[in-house]
Amino acid sequence: GAVVSQHPSRVICKSGTSVKIECRSLDFQATTMFWYRQFPKQSLMLMATSNEGSKATYEQGVEKDKFLINHASLTLSTLTVTSAHPEDSSFYICSARPPEEGNGYTFGSGTRLTVV
Amino acid sequence: LAKTTQPISMDSYEGQEVNITCSHNNIATNDYITWYQQFPSQGPRFIIQGYKTKVTNEVASLFIPADRKSSTLSLPRVSLSDTAVYYCLVGGNNQGGKLIFGQGTELSVKP
């Protein structure tokens, strides 16, 4: 089936630095990808919609200058957490929708970000 | 986007059938109902999707009544490995493709 690969699976960074997370659709093209954030014991919260070749659409309350999204090709979207702070520590997950009908969305395995 | 309501948690024992019901009173005509499973520190995994009546695959069954205001995910003969959070989502292609997650149901399967 369709696979979405996310890298890295976990990362630790210092406060004030930036971290880039990659999301790739391995066997299908995705003009749209989605980025979620999940805190412990909570549900997934949609952060933004990544659109290939155009600007991302951010959900209300999500700072676009802090969470930079780039969707430069039909198989790759990146999320950069800029000037990270400890409160940005979370589980970040991307997803995309394969072209086959009825199969729902495919999610990446997630990235555990810890800011120290 | 239609809001969903699920039980926060459920307990079961190995070998039992588990039914998780989701309410979605404001479901729109072109909305599909989709269920996902999530294990700790992993991304959600698609389980099943339906529009009306009953859908069955190798993993689960999905029952949807005629009014479509609720749906029930049925997991036959659960095992310990089915311990996870299960999310019910409703949506259609006309909503920009966004998936909005509700709180989910934390299923705990005991030996």
Side-chain angles (χ1 to χ4, degrees):
Chain A
V3 176
V4 171
S5 175
Q6 198 170 331
H7 178 81
S9 58
R10 57 178 63 239
V11 59
I12 301 173
C13 72
K14 293 183 178 180
S15 289
T17 62
S18 297
V19 173
K20 179 184 287 188
I21 303 170
E22 294 187 347
C23 179
R24 295 179 184 274
S25 55
L26 296 187
D27 47 6
F28 66 98
Q29 294 183 332
T31 57
T32 304
M33 291 184 177
F34 304 91
W35 287 95
Y36 293 84
R37 180 168 54 181
Q38 185 176 33
F39 293 106
K41 295 296 184 180
Q42 294 187 23
S43 184
L44 285 77
M45 184 192 79
L46 180 65
M47 298 175 66
T49 302
S50 173
N51 304 299
E52 188 269 333
S54 65
K55 292 182 179 180
T57 304
Y58 290 81
E59 295 299 304
Q60 189 173 8
V62 178
E63 300 176 58
K64 62 180 182 180
D65 294 329
K66 181 170 183 61
F67 299 100
L68 300 179
I69 291 174
N70 183 276
H71 196 148
S73 77
L74 288 171
T75 60
L76 173 64
S77 174
T78 61
L79 168 68
T80 301
V81 182
T82 63
S83 186
H85 291 286
E87 57 264 30
D88 298 323
S89 298
S90 188
F91 191 54
Y92 293 86
I93 310 168
C94 68
S95 76
R97 185 172 187 174
E100 300 83 20
E101 291 292 332
N103 288 336
Y105 289 68
T106 299
F107 288 79
S109 55
T111 298
R112 175 74 60 191
L113 170 63
T114 302
V115 185
V116 298
Chain B
L1 296 173
K3 179 177 178 175
T4 61
T5 303
Q6 306 173 230
I8 294 176
S9 64
M10 293 182 70
D11 290 333
S12 181
Y13 290 94
E14 282 190 293
Q16 289 186 333
E17 176 185 80
V18 172
N19 297 307
I20 306 174
T21 297
C22 177
S23 296
H24 29 79
N25 292 318
N26 297 322
I27 190 169
T29 302
N30 59 350
D31 283 343
Y32 281 80
I33 301 159
T34 313
W35 286 78
Y36 291 83
Q37 174 192 57
Q38 185 183 27
F39 297 113
S41 297
Q42 293 186 29
R45 182 176 74 98
F46 171 85
I47 300 175
I48 197 166
Q49 183 180 74
Y51 183 80
K52 60 180 179 180
T53 63
K54 176 184 176 182
V55 180
T56 298
N57 62 20
E58 63 277 8
V59 177
S61 294
L62 179 59
F63 299 91
I64 306 169
D67 65 5
R68 302 198 331 121
K69 293 184 182 299
S70 67
S71 60
T72 299
L73 174 72
S74 181
L75 304 173
R77 297 180 297 282
V78 295
S79 63
L80 296 176
S81 62
D82 292 316
T83 295
V85 179
Y86 293 83
Y87 294 97
C88 160
L89 289 88
V90 294
N93 291 333
N94 65 342
Q95 292 161 342
K98 297 194 293 187
L99 279 185
I100 305 298
F101 283 77
Q103 64 182 16
T105 297
E106 185 172 9
L107 174 65
S108 177
V109 180
K110 303 175 182 178

